[in-house]
Amino acid sequence: MPRRAFKVFVELEGMYRNLVEQLVLYAVNNGITKFTRLKAERYHEVRSLYPQLPSHYVYTACQDAAERAHSFLRLRRMGRARKPYPEVRGVSIWLDDHLWRAEGLTSISMTTHRGRVRVSVELNKHFLRYVNRGWRLASEAKVKLDRRDRRLVFYLTFKKEVSEYRPKGYITVDVNEDAEAVLIDGLVYLLETDLSRVTLGYYYRRKRVQERYDRVYGLGSRPERKIFKRLSNNEGALKKEIRWKLAALIAREAARRQAAIVLERLGKEPANHMIEHIKDPQLRHRVFQAAFKGMQRAIEEKAREYGVPVIYIDPRNTSRTCPIHGAEIIYGRDRHGTCSKGGETWHRDVVACYNLLLRALSGDGGHAPSRMRALVTVDGGPVPLGPTAAHEPAGVPRALWARWRSLGATSDHKLVRVST
Ligand SMILES: [Zn+2]
């Protein structure tokens, strides 16, 4: 933006920040967490501070402050607040329908203390994706000042009227360190992500750089920090790309079949047995965040975009019991095990996927077909789940699935070629 126009927003932000600071202080002192009460008690006084400011900024500042006070008081109750009062550091100005208006797709007009200001906008891909899928802008928005590039960053909310989504089936996803097992139409795809390998790879590269540079330039030198920054940018970008691509693939398949996505409910701590072999707690945390949490979050976000519901299932013992016999599976090496009752061979990820599906089917009593359940309760060998081929996942390397638009469109010969 031109300097002069931007100055208006700098002034606006200053006033807004001051309002929020005062309101938060009052709210925390009086234990107020509700917008309505904060507004009722403080509106008139705060309003008179800046008579030139459109009154709706006082409303939104009250909302902003009430939310900040709410989360601060909750942290304090849990003993996790580090300061006696919440600090108002980053500010984004909250807007309601009186304060801004989208004018087509090219500009936004905002009400300020200096009248209406029209700002031309540059849309991003994300925005257009939502608009194309039939989402409409909601009336609430936030705007943040980017002082370095002298521009405004708008945070918009989309909404959509949806008819009730009655899942006709489930797609179950078992997230692992380096691959994701996805059960679609009775076939388990093992889509390789290599996420933990990426994390570990960069970790060791950083370590090598550190050792070399510390020796030459001393601890934490400038060139070392520069390389670190570049490495972590590359790492982040690569992981992000892997996650989004895979999440989009799964969400698209679910939407096409009108299926729900079934995920494991993950705990907060990286106590997952999958990464026990990593001793460094920080590194373990990073692997967990990237490979498990990050992957799940990407799927959730993509599912939302496509309007697909996500169901969470308790993952306890999902890979330990035979989906057919309910008996324990004894695992040997290389993720393969034998059912202690039927004697058939199972791949660990296939077991997990089927058990997640069974739990989903029995859990919500839902609208999904009971075909799977009927087949699985039939006793007597691996027949209900098909020939042994079904017990072996179709492994798909990242280079391959990253180019797919859908799983169904891939002919089976491709898969066979890969898995043999
Ligand atoms: Zn069995």
Side-chain angles (χ1 to χ4, degrees):
M1 291 180 78
R3 218 174 280 277
R4 271 203 26 224
F6 194 69
K7 216 181 123 218
V8 175
F9 292 99
V10 174
E11 289 167 5
L12 180 65
E13 188 198 48
M15 289 186 267
Y16 182 86
R17 174 192 294 272
N18 194 14
L19 290 180
V20 172
E21 276 170 351
Q22 296 201 16
L23 287 163
V24 167
L25 204 63
Y26 181 87
V28 167
N29 275 336
N30 296 280
I32 298 173
T33 57
K34 289 269 185 302
F35 154 67
T36 40
R37 202 181 135 200
L38 188 59
K39 199 187 88 188
E41 290 185 20
R42 297 301 291 165
Y43 178 76
H44 285 288
E45 204 165 328
V46 177
R47 175 85 193 92
S48 61
L49 280 176
Y50 301 113
Q52 71 277 36
L53 198 66
S55 65
H56 275 258
Y57 282 110
V58 184
Y59 292 164
T60 56
C62 283
Q63 285 173 326
D64 191 344
E67 199 158 287
R68 285 171 192 258
H70 180 78
S71 61
F72 176 79
L73 289 169
R74 205 192 51 202
L75 283 180
R76 192 157 77 180
R77 261 202 314 279
M78 296 181 336
R80 281 177 49 202
R82 270 167 292 166
K83 302 214 169 75
Y85 288 103
E87 226 179 301
V88 178
R89 261 178 308 186
V91 169
S92 37
I93 304 168
W94 291 25
L95 305 171
D96 66 10
D97 51 346
H98 292 259
L99 297 173
W100 78 291
R101 197 168 61 215
E103 298 184 333
L105 289 178
T106 53
S107 63
I108 282 176
S109 124
M110 262 177 79
T111 309
T112 72
H113 56 296
R114 292 182 187 265
R116 279 202 167 267
V117 177
R118 183 185 283 179
V119 191
S120 66
V121 292
E122 191 179 294
L123 301 173
N124 60 13
K125 242 164 62 184
H126 208 54
F127 179 96
L128 293 170
R129 233 183 358 241
Y130 274 87
V131 170
N132 285 339
R133 300 242 160 80
W135 292 81
R136 291 289 160 256
L137 280 173
S139 60
E140 63 263 34
K142 290 177 190 175
V143 64
K144 202 167 190 168
L145 272 63
D146 175 359
R147 286 186 157 75
R148 218 186 59 183
D149 295 332
R150 221 188 306 128
R151 56 177 193 158
L152 303 177
V153 180
F154 282 92
Y155 296 88
L156 305 169
T157 306
F158 287 94
K159 60 181 179 186
K160 189 181 185 178
E161 294 263 336
V162 287
S163 48
E164 197 194 350
Y165 190 106
R166 291 178 161 248
K168 286 182 183 156
Y170 295 103
I171 289 183
T172 63
V173 181
D174 178 50
V175 180
N176 285 310
E177 266 178 286
D178 279 310
E180 199 140 309
V182 182
L183 171 59
I184 299 181
D185 303 337
L187 190 63
V188 175
Y189 297 84
L190 199 60
L191 307 170
E192 288 168 12
T193 58
D194 297 326
L195 277 168
S196 87
R197 231 168 290 159
V198 171
T199 304
L200 292 172
Y202 274 99
Y203 175 79
Y204 292 120
R205 270 169 82 179
R206 228 170 306 197
K207 230 173 160 173
R208 279 200 303 276
V209 168
Q210 192 173 23
E211 275 162 17
R212 190 153 15 109
Y213 277 70
D214 280 356
R215 217 170 36 232
V216 180
Y217 295 100
L219 289 177
S221 64
R222 226 180 124 83
E224 178 182 319
R225 288 206 311 268
K226 237 173 126 180
I227 294 185
F228 271 24
K229 195 159 178 209
R230 202 189 64 221
L231 284 177
S232 72
N233 282 347
N234 292 352
E235 181 185 2
L238 175 59
K239 285 179 179 171
K240 217 162 137 183
E241 196 193 320
I242 297 171
R243 287 197 292 250
W244 283 121
K245 276 206 171 131
L246 187 49
L249 191 64
I250 293 169
R252 266 200 306 270
E253 292 304 314
R256 237 159 41 115
R257 292 167 171 76
Q258 208 187 319
I261 294 175
V262 180
L263 294 175
E264 294 176 61
R265 192 182 299 119
L266 289 178
K268 277 199 181 71
E269 294 301 313
N272 201 303
H273 66 277
M274 301 281 188
I275 45 174
E276 262 170 10
H277 60 275
I278 300 166
K279 289 287 173 281
D280 181 349
Q282 224 186 331
L283 185 57
R284 218 171 58 202
H285 179 74
R286 294 237 318 269
V287 169
F288 181 79
Q289 289 297 327
F292 299 91
K293 264 271 161 71
M295 198 58 240
Q296 280 218 350
R297 225 173 273 150
I299 295 175
E300 285 159 16
E301 166 98 38
K302 274 287 162 197
R304 248 201 310 276
E305 192 184 313
Y306 283 86
V308 170
V310 176
I311 296 166
Y312 293 92
I313 301 289
D314 180 0
R316 257 177 302 174
N317 298 330
T318 38
S319 52
R320 211 176 293 165
T321 28
C322 170
I324 299 172
H325 301 99
E328 199 188 338
I329 294 176
I330 315 291
Y331 284 99
R333 263 172 298 168
D334 71 2
R335 303 184 78 77
H336 284 83
T338 312
C339 172
S340 59
K341 192 171 172 198
E344 75 279 11
T345 313
W346 286 97
H347 187 284
R348 190 177 199 115
D349 299 340
V350 173
V351 175
C353 273
Y354 275 113
N355 280 329
L356 284 176
L357 176 65
L358 291 178
R359 281 188 199 179
L361 287 170
S362 59
D364 77 346
H367 321 288
S370 53
R371 182 172 59 94
M372 195 42 90
R373 191 173 4 197
L375 285 175
V376 170
T377 46
V378 173
D379 205 332
V383 185
L385 288 175
T388 39
H391 296 211
E392 193 57 40
V396 188
R398 194 171 83 214
L400 195 55
W401 64 252
R403 295 201 307 267
W404 290 356
R405 287 291 299 167
S406 73
L407 288 171
T410 12
S411 47
D412 277 355
H413 68 264
K414 241 184 200 163
L415 287 173
V416 171
R417 204 172 59 212
V418 170
S419 58
T420 47

